[in-house]
């Protein structure tokens, strides 16, 4: 029977008519059993002691974040499964860096597609120039910063990008991006979280971030004393965004991000410890081929004599390949079978990894980099991974790449390098000029020929465009590829080779 709670009316009825009160109690219990959730019952053995937290998103996460980050980073350094999960996800989402394909809204701007094509090529060229010098520390290109921002957001839960300006000698653009690790944004002087400032993020009455409190250096740096906090405004007075907070919000009103590995930290740690223990056991077993048997009356005989060093106790012998030991009188060697390597290791580890993969949205084939199942199973695994990566790519492009592109466009138009009428006067016009697609790694193919035939049929029936196929299967820009194909055809004709044959047709004689 579920837990029964008396109301005021129940107590009044019980005072005048205990039988009526008992009937009410039984009726309510039957209703609870008929319509309630089993998972919410408190009378079941497996659930009666389960009292999880019902706090807000920040109450459930902020106190645990320092430990979650530290443990996540430790696993990302030392646990192969964790290293692979973060690396595989980063590669699948970002790859070599998301490529810009400018897509100007011709209807909103009232220009022809031919004019838009010229403008788009101009913006893409300016973007390439900007990307070469966009790092505030002058160490990475923007493509490399994308990889770092993605992996850091996965490892730590979030990462910050601050807009800075510094026009160095030889630079075309002064706008720079400074990537800041999650730990540097915290409450001033380690104050308690409040409704106004939580996790270093200051919000207004509507829950909108208005400032980020940034330390002058990493609190875990070589010199931790003398930290100072600076409040960096999220937007300027005219509404221009100055800070990008890259994190994936899991719950409404969540202020800070949670590490990618958070749900499986304990699983990965235990698996890593077990794997290390198995390796150690196999190594020790390779050194031991026999054990010494002593009779009962030889209990006080001298210990076994073998190779020694200063780190060993008096009754210890150093093991190693080809080690030779001598025995005391009355002792003999007996066979020793440690049963290592463990033949059940893989059968135990793989189901464990499957659980980890479910939590991280990574099929076990991708997590272990082992495609040992059938073709259809392997293809299904790649398709599931692709769906997850495509979702994360859209999130990352919107949170990081697109805002940085708009920063570049602002400086390009303000400095006169690009002439874009109406850019600063109308937000709709500005958005039309800044339209973009972000092209990432193409979907992996297990049977390219079969998929190419399917794409050709989709193009023929109008289900897909050639540009869409280029983006999904091979990456790159259709127009650039088309221009390259035209140059190749001219080169073939100039060399007397004729037009390149279409796949599946016989090659004509020259």
């Amino acid at each position: 029977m579920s837990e029964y709670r008396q109301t005021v009316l129940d107590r009044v009825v019980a005072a005048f008519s205990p039988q009526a009160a008992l009937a009410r109690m039984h009726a309510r219990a039957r209703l609870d059993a008929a319509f309630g959730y089993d998972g919410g019952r408190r009378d079941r053995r497996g659930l009666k002691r389960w009292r999880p937290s019902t706090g807000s998103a920040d109450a459930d996460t902020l106190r645990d974040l320092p430990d979650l980050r530290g443990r996540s980073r430790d696993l990302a350094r030392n646990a192969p499964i964790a290293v692979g999960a973060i690396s595989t996800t980063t590669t699948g989402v970002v790859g070599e860096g998301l490529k810009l394909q400018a897509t100007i809204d011709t209807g909103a701007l009232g220009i022809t597609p031919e004019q838009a094509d010229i403008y788009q090529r101009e913006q893409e060229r300016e973007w390439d120039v900007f990307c070469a010098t966009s790092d505030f520390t002058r160490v990475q290109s923007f493509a490399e910063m994308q990889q770092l921002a993605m992996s850091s957001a996965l490892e730590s839960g979030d990462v910050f990008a601050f807009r800075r300006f510094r026009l160095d000698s030889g630079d075309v653009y002064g706008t720079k991006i400074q990537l800041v690790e999650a730990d540097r944004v915290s409450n001033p002087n380690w104050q308690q979280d409040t409704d106004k400032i939580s996790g270093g993020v200051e919000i207004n009455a509507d829950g909108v971030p208005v400032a980020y409190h940034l330390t002058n250096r990493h609190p875990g740096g070589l010199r931790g004393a003398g930290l100072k906090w600076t409040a960096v405004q999220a937007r300027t007075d005219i509404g221009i965004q100055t800070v990008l907070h890259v994190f994936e919000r899991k719950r409404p009103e969540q202020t800070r991000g949670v590490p990618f590995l958070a749900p499986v930290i304990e699983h990965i740690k235990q698996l890593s410890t077990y794997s290390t223990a198995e390796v150690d056991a196999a190594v020790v077993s390779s050194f031991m081929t026999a054990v010494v048997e002593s009779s009962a009356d030889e209990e006080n005989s001298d210990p076994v004599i073998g190779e020694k060093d200063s780190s060993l106790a008096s009754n210890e012998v150093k093991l190693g390949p080809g080690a030779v030991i001598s025995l005391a009188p009355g002792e003999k060697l007996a066979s020793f079978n440690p049963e290592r390597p463990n033949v059940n290791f893989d059968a135990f580890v793989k189901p464990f990894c499957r659980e980890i993969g479910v939590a991280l949205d990574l099929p076990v084939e991708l997590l272990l980099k082992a495609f040992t199942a059938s073709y259809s199973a392997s293809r299904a695994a790649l398709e599931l991974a692709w769906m997850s990566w495509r979702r994360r790519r859209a999130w990352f492009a919107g949170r990081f790449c697109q805002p940085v592109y708009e920063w570049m466009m602002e400086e390009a138009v303000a400095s006169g390098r690009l002439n874009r009428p109406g850019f600063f006067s109308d937000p709709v016009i500005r958005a039309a000029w800044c339209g973009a697609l972000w092209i990432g790694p193409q979907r992996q193919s297990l049977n390219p020929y079969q998929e190419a035939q399917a794409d050709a049929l989709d193009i023929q029936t109008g289900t897909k465009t050639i540009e869409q196929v280029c983006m999904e299967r091979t990456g790159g820009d259709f127009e650039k590829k088309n221009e390259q194909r035209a140059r190749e055809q001219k080169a073939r004709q100039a060399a007397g080779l004729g037009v390149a044959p279409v796949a599946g047709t016989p090659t004509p004689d020259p």
Side-chain angles (χ1 to χ4, degrees):
M1 185 180 295
S2 62
E3 183 177 341
Y4 177 74
R5 297 179 181 179
Q6 281 191 325
T7 64
V8 175
L9 180 59
D10 292 332
R11 289 194 290 269
V12 172
V13 172
F16 290 95
S17 177
Q19 287 184 331
L22 185 62
R24 287 170 60 86
M25 182 183 71
H26 282 300
R28 186 169 299 170
R30 287 195 296 270
L31 282 174
D32 289 344
F35 302 108
Y37 285 98
D38 287 344
R41 297 172 67 106
R42 297 187 177 184
D43 58 336
R44 294 177 180 266
R45 183 180 299 274
L47 300 176
K48 64 171 57 178
R49 298 184 183 277
W50 189 9
R51 297 291 190 272
S53 169
T54 56
S56 67
D58 285 348
D60 286 346
T61 58
L62 290 181
R63 286 189 294 269
D64 295 331
L65 268 183
D67 287 336
L68 288 175
R69 287 187 195 130
R71 291 169 181 173
S72 175
R73 291 167 185 165
D74 181 72
L75 292 176
R77 290 190 296 264
N78 300 304
I81 291 294
V83 176
I86 291 177
S87 176
T88 299
T89 302
T90 301
T91 301
V93 173
V94 177
E96 300 174 354
L98 303 185
K99 307 296 183 183
L100 167 68
Q101 181 177 333
T103 55
I104 292 174
D105 188 343
T106 57
L109 298 175
I111 59 177
T112 65
E114 291 75 18
Q115 290 174 316
D117 183 66
I118 296 174
Y119 289 138
Q120 287 167 174
R121 299 296 166 257
E122 288 179 351
Q123 292 175 196
E124 290 170 0
R125 284 193 293 269
E126 292 296 318
W127 173 250
D128 290 339
V129 173
F130 167 82
C131 288
T133 61
S134 58
D135 183 9
F136 185 73
T137 63
R138 299 192 66 86
V139 174
Q140 297 178 299
S141 67
F142 187 69
E144 294 169 324
M145 293 182 73
Q146 290 182 54
Q147 298 166 11
L148 178 60
M150 185 68 203
S151 62
S152 184
L154 293 175
E155 187 176 306
S156 301
D158 50 14
V159 68
F160 294 86
F162 288 81
R163 183 177 184 175
R164 305 291 298 272
F165 189 89
R166 187 187 66 225
L167 190 60
D168 296 330
S169 177
D171 286 356
V172 175
Y173 287 94
T175 299
K176 301 287 188 291
I177 300 100
Q178 181 182 8
L179 288 181
V180 172
E181 200 163 36
D183 311 65
R184 286 188 60 187
V185 176
S186 58
N187 292 347
N189 300 310
W190 311 114
Q191 297 173 5
Q192 291 292 324
D193 294 319
T194 66
D195 291 338
K196 184 179 180 181
I197 302 178
S198 298
V201 181
E202 183 177 343
I203 60 176
N204 62 17
D206 295 326
V208 178
V210 295
Y212 297 89
H213 294 265
L214 177 69
T215 58
N216 56 334
R217 57 180 176 273
H218 197 290
L222 299 177
R223 187 167 60 91
L227 286 178
K228 297 181 180 179
W229 280 261
T230 301
V232 181
Q233 298 303 307
R235 293 179 179 272
T236 64
D237 295 337
I238 59 175
I240 297 176
Q241 190 173 6
T242 57
V243 182
L244 306 180
H245 186 187
V246 183
F247 78 105
E248 195 167 2
R249 178 175 272 185
K250 299 291 187 181
R251 293 177 59 183
E253 301 179 355
Q254 180 179 340
T255 303
R256 299 296 302 267
V258 177
F260 177 57
L261 302 177
V264 292
I265 282 178
E266 185 177 5
H267 281 62
I268 296 179
K269 179 60 176 176
Q270 290 179 332
L271 183 61
S272 181
T273 301
Y274 168 68
S275 178
T276 301
E278 283 290 342
V279 172
D280 290 343
V283 171
V284 171
S285 299
S286 69
F287 293 159
M288 297 181 65
T289 57
V291 295
V292 177
E293 288 186 358
S294 298
S295 59
D297 57 353
E298 296 293 339
E299 191 174 320
N300 297 320
S301 61
D302 293 333
V304 174
I305 301 173
E307 187 177 351
K308 297 281 189 177
D309 64 31
S310 59
S311 65
L312 299 176
S314 60
N315 62 342
E316 292 181 327
V317 176
K318 185 176 182 180
L319 298 177
V324 178
I325 61 176
S326 60
L327 305 178
E331 295 179 332
K332 63 179 181 179
L333 290 177
S335 62
F336 175 72
N337 182 15
E339 298 183 353
R340 290 293 190 279
N342 187 349
V343 295
N344 296 317
F345 178 80
D346 190 63
F348 173 78
V349 168
K350 193 167 184 179
F352 216 74
C353 290
R354 188 176 290 114
E355 288 189 15
I356 295 173
V358 168
L360 301 182
D361 213 5
L362 272 177
V364 67
E365 292 86 352
L366 271 296
L367 187 65
L368 297 179
K369 304 295 194 301
F371 293 86
T372 56
S374 63
Y375 167 80
S376 58
S378 298
R379 180 169 181 177
L382 287 174
E383 289 292 336
L384 288 174
W386 172 257
M387 291 172 62
S388 174
W389 294 338
R390 185 169 58 183
R391 177 186 64 81
R392 289 186 184 275
R393 183 179 303 161
W395 158 76
F396 184 75
R399 300 284 293 189
F400 185 67
C401 297
Q402 182 66 28
V404 173
Y405 173 54
E406 293 178 12
W407 289 350
M408 184 279 296
M409 287 291 294
E410 288 174 7
E411 184 177 354
V413 176
S415 64
R417 291 190 62 84
L418 293 176
N419 180 24
R420 299 296 182 263
F423 187 90
F424 290 110
S425 60
D426 189 340
V428 175
I429 299 299
R430 173 195 174 105
W433 286 118
C434 292
L437 292 176
W438 295 96
I439 302 172
Q442 62 272 23
R443 187 171 64 184
Q444 298 298 313
S445 174
L446 296 179
N447 193 333
Y449 179 73
Q450 185 180 33
E451 294 186 13
Q453 288 182 314
D455 286 335
L457 181 61
D458 285 341
I459 292 173
Q460 183 179 357
T461 58
T463 308
K464 289 183 179 179
T465 65
I466 298 178
E467 183 176 26
Q468 186 179 359
V469 171
C470 285
M471 291 173 58
E472 291 181 355
R473 288 196 62 246
T474 62
D477 178 71
F478 164 70
E479 295 183 2
K480 292 181 179 179
K481 290 185 176 184
N482 205 38
E483 293 172 359
Q484 179 62 28
R485 280 175 52 84
R487 288 192 291 268
E488 291 173 356
Q489 296 285 22
K490 290 180 180 178
R492 288 180 60 87
Q493 291 175 344
L497 299 177
V499 178
V502 178
T505 60
T507 304
D509 296 332

